[in-house]
Structures are given as C-alpha cells and as structure tokens.
Amino acid sequence: MPGAQSSPGDPDDDTPHDGPAEEASAPSARSVVDAIGTAKGRIMQRHRVDEDTAFDLLLRAARETDRELPDLARRLLGGDGLTGPGPDVDR
C-alpha cells in the first residue's frame, strides 16, 4: 500500500533499522578493531616494522594457521606464544 510504513519485522522491508541486534554488535566490532590494532602495534614494536608490514604479517599468520584474523589477534594479545618471530620478519 503506497505511503504505508513497514515495521522492523516486515520481511519485505529492506530499510535499515537500529535495534538491539545492531546495538549488541557495535561493541563486538569495536573490540575486534581494537584487538587487531593492538596486535599490529605489538608486532611493529617487537619486529621493528611499519604498520602495513605488521598487518601483512598478522594476516599471513592467520592464513597459515587457518584462523580468523580477530581470533589470532586476541590469542596473540593473550600471550599464548604466538608472538615469536614469524616468516620473513628480518627483511
């Protein structure tokens, strides 16, 4: 019906709605970005590399260990031994 507004639960509605699901995911997304940024910083400090190289090393380690990037970053920050030298660190 023209001019009628749809509710957030309407399956035919494709407009975004801010609701509990979006609000609940915001802190999670923020924590993922923070973990990756902190992990990059630790890699930069430990291996004396720039930001792009640190991200590349983190990404490569995630691929080689078949882990999601946020999971690997959190594990690195947890101190489980993943902070050792990686491949091609001494460029």
Side-chain angles (χ1 to χ4, degrees):
M1 169 188 276
Q5 290 188 347
S6 58
S7 66
D10 185 352
D12 296 328
D13 180 22
D14 61 355
T15 56
H17 296 280
D18 291 330
E22 288 85 353
E23 291 172 11
S25 68
S28 177
R30 210 169 305 133
S31 69
V32 167
V33 171
D34 289 346
I36 292 171
T38 303
K40 279 192 323 186
R42 287 202 184 164
I43 292 169
M44 290 168 62
Q45 182 179 27
R46 173 171 274 228
H47 300 293
R48 301 174 204 263
V49 296
D50 65 16
E51 185 175 359
D52 290 337
T53 302
F55 183 76
D56 289 343
L57 289 170
L58 189 59
L59 189 58
R60 186 176 345 156
R63 287 181 184 144
E64 290 176 356
T65 59
D66 198 29
R67 295 183 189 272
E68 295 289 327
L69 186 61
D71 178 52
L72 181 67
R74 286 187 198 105
R75 290 180 61 95
L76 186 146
L77 297 175
D80 68 349
L82 295 175
T83 57
D88 300 324
V89 172
D90 299 322
R91 291 184 198 183

